[in-house]
Amino acid sequence: MKTIKSFTRYSVLAMSLCMALGLQAQDVHLTTDAGAPVGDNQNSQTAGPGGPTLLQDSHLIEKLQRFDRERIPERVVHARGTGAAGVFQATADISDLSKAVVFKPGTTTPVFVRFSTVMGYRGSPEQARDPRGFATKFYTQQGNWDLVGINLPIFFIRDAIKFPDFVHANKPSAVTGVQDANLAFDFFAHTPEATSMLTRLYSDEGMPDSYRRMDGYGVHAFKMVNANGDVHYVKFHWKSEQGMHGIRPQDIAPSIGADWNHMTNDLYGAIKNGEDPKWDLYIQVLEPKDLAKFDYNALDDTKVWSGVPERKIGTMTLNRVPDNYFESTEQSAFAPSRMVPGIEASEDRMLQGRLFAYADTQMYRLGANYQSLPINRPLVQVSSEDQDGAMNSSGRKGEINFEPSTAREVSEDPNGRLVQTALSGTTQQQAIDKKRNFLQAGEYYRALSAQDKADLITALSADLNHVTNEGNKYTMLSYFYKADADYGTRLAKATHADVARVKSLADQLSDG
Ligand code: HEM
């Protein structure tokens, strides 16, 4: 009997059936997607020995058609990524803050994490001067909660309306298809609020040498709501138990040369060796009345909450490499809007935009029924009246596809009711107050070691040296000077700029 290796999921099913029937695995044969046996997978059907290939070779046609459709649109950002599964264990009682079951001490919740770079295409090198995505899906007993963060505690901009422009300027050029520092810094020269994030990004901390050895942050403030309806504002921080380690500027090119898929190989290698990476989840907590006590806007995602203590609430362990990259990692869909009772959105203007954008792009990228894919499906039963759409396999039965109905009573869960927030004022389009664009960049710079400062100057000046528009270059230098005079002076020298001119531009900036 001819032995044929199994390829499709159908043959896997057939294999189980064969095993159930006591047949040997060798009996499994190759089939079409409709399950019919394939007689020859090496030669197309032709009109005689020298003639053309026949349209009636439906196995060939199906094989090519399926191949032609293998790719789906890559993520508009964060296209290059790596996924791993594991568990989150809650360790601290924070029922005074949140009623979410995922935080109940002793609860173990399965998770799927996707790490990523931001601007590169799907096959781009993993070592890039780019924030790293750190997206976690918690499959909780109350539905899915996605914490879609990055490896740095803040972001470049503070209003969602600027996000498409920020991405256009930083993605490869619309003409050459190559990333261009000129375009990026043209945008940043008009975006002083990015000064703090750029400072972190160009430090060694901004260039982690491994996904295992970096922290993660939720960046925005979220609301936690307890069983009494009390609200607190929180920020989330994943602290790596492996420690943090960055790549120094002089080591970046050699590291890409050595292995440009190092981040995935490192993570998967460790998990396969039984060295499961762990992160502890910490929160910072503020009472609503305390939001106003800072001299910056505490709901501005370009700011860290200085001086607010952190407390540990659990630990995540990644212990499994998915065995199908496409079905797990590529089709995973994380959305900041996906929350569970006890966790709600804050009024942060970036988060508010994100609440819309992710589920929207996922319906385009993966289709309307993307939440029923195994990687995205909640562990709890889904019971909604949403229906149909392409590739639906919900198994819904009966004609009551609306609610309320006398024929079928479904109850609402008061636990899922959202908290009430008092509002005041008029609709408006105005920037936030207490911007403090430069304050925390200076604080961060001054806290760096001598070596870290030198590495920051080396890395940032290298990119600023590509900026040919002199006005943009001087504007950027003035921002860094405004953050800290030593920082700005050293950058000006490293970019052959006139320090006096940089200082005079910085003097005209306000940091209110
Ligand atoms: C208004 C601002 C933002 C918008 C409109 C936006 C939009 C998007 C979109 C459309 C995707 C692709 C999602 C997909 O195809 O599944 C994405 C991915 C992602 N974004 Fe954002 N983003 C914003 C800001 C941020 C911020 C501030 C962070 C970090 C806190 C962040 C972290 C991520 C991560 C980690 C991913 C990758 C998720 C994954 O691995 O699938 N984004 N973003």
Side-chain angles (χ1 to χ4, degrees):
M1 184 189 300
K2 198 172 165 196
T3 306
I4 302 167
K5 232 178 137 192
S6 63
F7 284 104
T8 67
R9 81 184 70 174
Y10 305 105
S11 52
V12 172
L13 282 175
M15 186 156 21
S16 331
L17 188 64
C18 288
M19 284 159 82
L21 294 173
L23 300 173
Q24 288 183 343
Q26 281 95 319
D27 293 340
V28 172
H29 54 239
L30 203 61
T31 73
T32 65
D33 285 352
V38 170
D40 188 336
N41 195 38
Q42 309 304 318
N43 303 292
S44 314
Q45 194 181 14
T46 58
T53 304
L54 296 178
L55 190 58
Q56 69 178 25
D57 187 345
S58 51
H59 170 56
L60 168 71
I61 302 290
E62 181 181 71
K63 193 170 172 182
L64 293 181
Q65 281 182 313
R66 286 300 307 269
F67 173 74
D68 293 348
R69 289 161 177 76
E70 279 181 9
R71 300 289 170 274
I72 57 173
E74 66 174 36
R75 288 167 175 80
V76 62
V77 280
H78 294 262
R80 178 74 211 263
T82 298
V87 289
F88 172 74
Q89 261 155 338
T91 52
D93 182 2
I94 56 164
S95 53
D96 57 325
L97 300 174
S98 175
K99 59 187 172 185
V101 172
V102 63
F103 299 132
K104 208 168 140 207
T107 307
T108 299
T109 304
V111 296
F112 185 76
V113 172
R114 184 173 176 274
F115 298 113
S116 51
T117 52
V118 183
M119 296 299 170
Y121 297 132
R122 183 148 60 196
S124 54
E126 292 188 297
Q127 298 94 321
R129 182 67 67 184
D130 219 0
R132 304 304 140 125
F134 192 137
T136 309
K137 186 180 288 295
F138 298 77
Y139 303 88
T140 88
Q141 296 164 32
Q142 298 168 298
N144 288 352
W145 171 41
D146 294 351
L147 181 58
V148 196
I150 49 173
N151 66 320
L152 297 172
I154 53 170
F155 204 66
F156 300 91
I157 51 173
R158 55 167 72 103
D159 191 316
I161 202 166
K162 289 168 85 88
F163 190 76
D165 301 289
F166 157 71
V167 172
H168 291 175
N170 281 276
K171 274 266 199 191
S173 145
V175 171
T176 62
V178 176
Q179 263 182 316
D180 185 344
N182 254 305
L183 301 170
F185 284 106
D186 189 14
F187 177 81
F188 288 131
H190 300 86
T191 313
E193 66 268 35
T195 306
S196 200
M197 181 68 169
L198 287 170
T199 302
R200 286 178 184 265
L201 181 66
Y202 278 91
S203 70
D204 291 351
E205 181 197 0
M207 196 69 206
D209 75 344
S210 147
Y211 284 138
R212 293 182 297 141
R213 299 206 282 178
M214 65 178 204
D215 281 7
Y217 298 86
V219 174
H220 311 283
F222 292 84
K223 282 178 187 162
M224 275 194 176
V225 184
N226 67 16
N228 299 327
D230 304 322
V231 172
H232 289 82
Y233 285 80
V234 299
K235 284 201 181 213
F236 294 99
H237 179 183
W238 290 114
K239 277 195 196 181
S240 167
E241 287 194 11
Q242 294 68 238
M244 299 226 304
H245 204 264
I247 313 182
R248 300 193 58 200
Q250 66 271 26
D251 298 328
I252 294 173
S255 98
I256 297 175
D259 177 8
W260 70 331
N261 300 303
H262 167 72
M263 304 292 273
T264 298
N265 290 333
D266 170 81
L267 178 73
Y268 285 3
I271 294 175
K272 285 176 180 164
N273 280 338
E275 298 160 30
D276 298 341
K278 289 179 193 289
W279 286 262
D280 297 322
L281 185 59
Y282 283 75
I283 50 170
Q284 286 177 299
V285 182
L286 285 180
E287 300 228 12
K289 67 175 170 43
D290 291 338
L291 290 176
K293 77 178 185 189
F294 299 90
D295 62 352
Y296 48 85
N297 187 318
L299 296 182
D300 170 0
D301 73 346
T302 71
K303 299 294 183 297
V304 292
W305 286 352
S306 320
V308 180
E310 292 186 317
R311 54 197 269 207
K312 183 179 156 185
I313 61 168
T315 300
M316 175 170 73
T317 307
L318 295 182
N319 53 21
R320 191 166 55 80
V321 173
D323 52 16
N324 183 319
Y325 181 85
F326 184 86
E327 286 188 14
S328 299
T329 307
E330 196 59 17
Q331 294 200 127
S332 60
F334 303 83
S337 54
R338 219 153 282 140
M339 287 178 272
V340 289
I343 309 167
E344 294 190 27
S346 76
E347 296 75 15
D348 175 329
R349 293 180 187 188
M350 278 288 282
L351 176 60
Q352 290 284 319
R354 297 181 75 203
L355 297 177
F356 165 75
Y358 289 68
D360 179 57
T361 199
Q362 285 151 8
M363 288 203 193
Y364 160 71
R365 182 167 73 81
L366 298 161
N369 284 300
Y370 73 97
Q371 292 199 75
S372 351
L373 294 169
I375 192 65
N376 299 323
R377 205 161 45 205
L379 296 180
V380 295
Q381 191 193 336
V382 173
S383 176
S384 78
E385 309 306 342
D386 298 333
Q387 67 168 17
D388 300 353
M391 312 296 273
N392 193 307
S393 61
S394 74
R396 147 190 290 290
K397 302 207 172 26
E399 60 186 1
I400 308 301
N401 54 359
F402 50 89
E403 194 279 329
S405 152
T406 42
R408 187 173 63 109
E409 262 187 44
V410 279
S411 56
E412 292 161 342
D413 183 351
N415 205 26
R417 204 165 288 153
L418 299 175
V419 80
Q420 293 191 7
T421 303
L423 298 173
S424 66
T426 61
T427 60
Q428 59 168 50
Q429 280 192 295
Q430 268 171 30
I432 59 166
D433 56 2
K434 297 198 287 186
K435 296 187 197 65
R436 302 307 311 259
N437 288 332
F438 310 108
L439 167 84
Q440 292 191 349
E443 289 172 358
Y444 180 79
Y445 174 79
R446 288 186 288 280
L448 290 175
S449 69
Q451 179 183 302
D452 285 343
K453 279 184 184 154
D455 284 354
L456 167 62
I457 304 296
T458 305
L460 183 48
S461 62
D463 274 3
L464 288 173
N465 273 326
H466 288 295
V467 176
T468 51
N469 181 310
E470 198 184 80
N472 284 343
K473 178 170 126 177
Y474 271 88
T475 304
M476 289 309 310
L477 291 170
S478 71
Y479 294 163
F480 298 118
Y481 190 99
K482 184 75 182 174
D484 183 275
D486 175 62
Y487 181 23
T489 304
R490 290 175 69 178
L491 274 177
K493 286 183 181 157
T495 54
H496 319 288
D498 174 1
V499 180
R501 182 173 157 195
V502 171
K503 180 177 182 317
S504 117
L505 285 170
D507 288 344
Q508 292 162 42
L509 297 168
S510 94
D511 194 13

